[in-house]
Amino acid sequence: GAVVSQHPSRVICKSGTSVKIECRSLDFQATTMFWYRQFPKKSLMLMATSNEGSKATYEQGVEKDKFLINHASLTLSTLTVTSAHPEDSSFYICSARPLTSDTQYFGPGTRLTVL
Amino acid sequence: QQQVKQSPQSLIVQKGGISIINCAYENTAFDYFPWYQQFPGKGPALLIAIRPDVSEKKEGRFTISFNKSAKQFSLHIMDSQPGDSATYFCAASNREYGNKLVFGAGTILRVKS
């Protein structure tokens, strides 16, 4: 149980385009989902907290107009990287927290490469 | 005060040995302490977690030891295997802060066969 999926697993795009990443909790409902960014050999950096039906809360220094987050249902959150540039290339990981748990379950991650 | 300090940065252990990773925190409001294992190119996977009212928790070869007064907790991997070679992250969270995880910097474990 507690499976979180992400799609796509890998994406390559041209500079200036937008990319959407989906995060789904497959076997549980999650009022809260989190989006992280991870650089090579580094820890996870929280970008934003996404609550179903409300606006996402962004961490300090994260541009909310660049990283659009939508949490449309209890099982789906999306991250859209708008007008992507090479510096946005990174490993993006989502996590989801079941309704009655403190545990976050992570997705497999999405490798974004912006050319 | 929101930091979680993790050590060592990297660790090499012989097969069958014990791997020990330590973490320390400052914020006494933290009430949940999970450990995650991450393989290259994959998302972190929950290994084991503990709350401050318990001093030790064991699941298979993995044990968390928790010292509330010292504000420290550690992961012990018994009978370490080459398949345990991965990056390990400790973390801490608090319900009042929205369950946001504060991660340690990570420990790269290599188990030599």
Side-chain angles (χ1 to χ4, degrees):
Chain A
V3 178
V4 177
S5 70
Q6 272 184 253
H7 178 80
S9 58
R10 187 180 296 265
V11 57
I12 300 173
C13 70
K14 291 183 179 180
S15 187
T17 60
S18 294
V19 174
K20 180 185 283 189
I21 302 170
E22 288 188 352
C23 176
R24 294 181 184 272
S25 55
L26 298 185
D27 51 3
F28 65 94
Q29 292 183 323
T31 50
T32 308
M33 291 184 171
F34 303 84
W35 287 94
Y36 296 84
R37 186 172 180 177
Q38 187 177 34
F39 292 102
K41 300 190 186 301
K42 297 294 184 183
S43 190
L44 286 82
M45 182 186 78
L46 179 65
M47 299 174 65
T49 301
S50 166
N51 290 296
E52 187 265 338
S54 63
K55 290 184 178 180
T57 303
Y58 291 82
E59 295 299 302
Q60 192 172 10
V62 177
E63 299 176 60
K64 60 181 180 181
D65 294 331
K66 179 159 190 66
F67 299 100
L68 300 179
I69 292 172
N70 184 278
H71 194 153
S73 74
L74 287 174
T75 59
L76 173 64
S77 177
T78 60
L79 167 68
T80 301
V81 183
T82 62
S83 186
H85 288 94
E87 57 265 30
D88 298 323
S89 298
S90 193
F91 192 50
Y92 292 88
I93 314 173
C94 72
S95 71
R97 182 177 68 83
L99 295 177
T100 57
S101 172
D102 293 324
T103 300
Q104 288 185 32
Y105 297 95
F106 284 81
T110 296
R111 173 74 58 193
L112 170 64
T113 303
V114 185
L115 302 177
Chain B
Q1 202 180 22
Q2 281 291 92
Q3 282 186 334
V4 175
K5 295 183 179 179
Q6 183 172 346
S7 63
Q9 197 171 19
S10 63
L11 180 62
I12 300 175
V13 173
Q14 287 292 129
K15 180 181 175 182
I18 303 174
S19 304
I20 302 175
I21 305 170
N22 301 298
C23 285
Y25 63 98
E26 288 295 324
N27 189 347
T28 55
F30 287 138
D31 59 10
Y32 181 68
F33 301 87
W35 283 89
Y36 287 89
Q37 177 190 58
Q38 186 179 31
F39 293 104
K42 307 293 184 184
L46 179 69
L47 265 181
I48 187 171
I50 199 168
R51 295 192 184 280
D53 55 348
V54 177
S55 61
E56 186 175 281
K57 184 175 181 180
K58 183 176 180 179
E59 289 185 3
R61 296 185 294 110
F62 301 96
T63 300
I64 298 180
S65 297
F66 190 86
N67 186 328
K68 189 174 180 179
S69 60
K71 292 184 284 187
Q72 296 175 347
F73 59 110
S74 60
L75 175 69
H76 291 62
I77 306 175
M78 313 300 287
D79 187 27
S80 299
Q81 299 296 314
D84 296 329
S85 297
T87 300
Y88 292 80
F89 293 98
C90 64
S93 69
N94 177 283
R95 288 175 188 165
E96 289 186 26
Y97 300 141
N99 293 101
K100 290 197 288 188
L101 286 170
V102 178
F103 280 93
T107 297
I108 300 172
L109 171 65
R110 180 182 161 209
V111 181
K112 295 173 67 174
S113 56

